Amino acid sequence: MSTFEIVKNNEAVKTYITRADESLCALGFTEHSFAHVTRTAEDAGYVLRTLGYAERDVELAQIAGYLHDIGNLVNRANHALSGAAMAFSLLGPLGFEAADIATITTAIGNHDEGTGFPVNPVCAALILADKSDVRRTRVRNPEISNFDIHDRVNYSVKKSTLKINEDQTLIKLKLSVDTKYGSVMDYFEIFLHRMIMCRKAAERLNLEFKLIVNEKQLI
């Protein structure tokens, strides 16, 4: 059976992730390289494993998380759709069965807040993991005085944690924000649609989504 390890160790996958991030760097975007896709894969797997999904579903969520941004190699616009097409082409030669390819590509193709929807549990886990990765180390701009709003928001987040409660009724995104660099309103200006998508993704998993900023519940 083809595995997450096979995907991670594939040289073509490594190249596509690297080159996709280079394109985003040229466009002035925050980091979308191995740190982001690894964390997304880990958190997507955590969500489904914690909720008791089968280990294969957990692995498919990890794979979708790892591959979800390769479409940026083509163009930032519609990157979820191009990424799904690229994953479709990659996974067959790696020995994945059609059903698994279908699940992964569906999740990738639906992870963007502009066009996507949490159509299956793997997709819902991917959305929650991807949209919750906000952190200072994603900022590339070395000059704080030249930060745009995305830089300010990411740099202001000292810590972000995605956590499901023991009763498996809530999933919380907890942020520790240094308001010296970015305000809570800045966060909502660029992330409101993402948080709405997270709420829909949580509902797909029979969870309630809550956003906690500096120990205060905002959603």
Side-chain angles (χ1 to χ4, degrees), residues 16-142:
Y16 296 156
I17 291 172
T18 299
R19 295 291 184 87
D21 185 57
E22 288 174 359
S23 294
L24 292 186
C25 181
L27 291 168
F29 281 79
T30 53
E31 179 267 325
H32 284 70
S33 189
F34 293 100
H36 171 59
V37 300
T38 298
R39 176 164 175 167
T40 301
E42 290 174 349
D43 282 352
Y46 156 77
V47 169
L48 293 193
R49 182 177 288 115
T50 302
L51 295 176
Y53 280 80
E55 194 58 33
R56 187 56 175 171
D57 292 326
V58 172
E59 188 159 44
L60 297 181
Q62 292 173 322
I63 294 167
Y66 202 75
L67 297 178
H68 78 282
D69 270 341
I70 58 174
N72 287 304
L73 178 71
V74 179
N75 197 294
R76 179 61 179 176
N78 297 316
H79 75 282
L81 303 182
S82 53
M86 290 174 66
F88 182 88
S89 297
L90 280 166
L91 295 173
L94 293 179
F96 283 82
E97 296 179 359
D100 289 345
I101 295 173
T103 298
I104 294 167
T105 55
T106 297
I108 294 172
N110 278 279
H111 85 270
D112 186 65
E113 60 270 19
T115 56
F117 189 83
V119 294
N120 61 40
V122 168
C123 182
L126 168 57
I127 289 167
L128 288 162
D130 178 40
K131 308 312 175 192
S132 64
D133 186 18
V134 187
R135 52 187 162 80
R136 179 166 293 185
T137 50
R138 294 193 70 181
V139 178
R140 308 183 214 254
N141 188 346

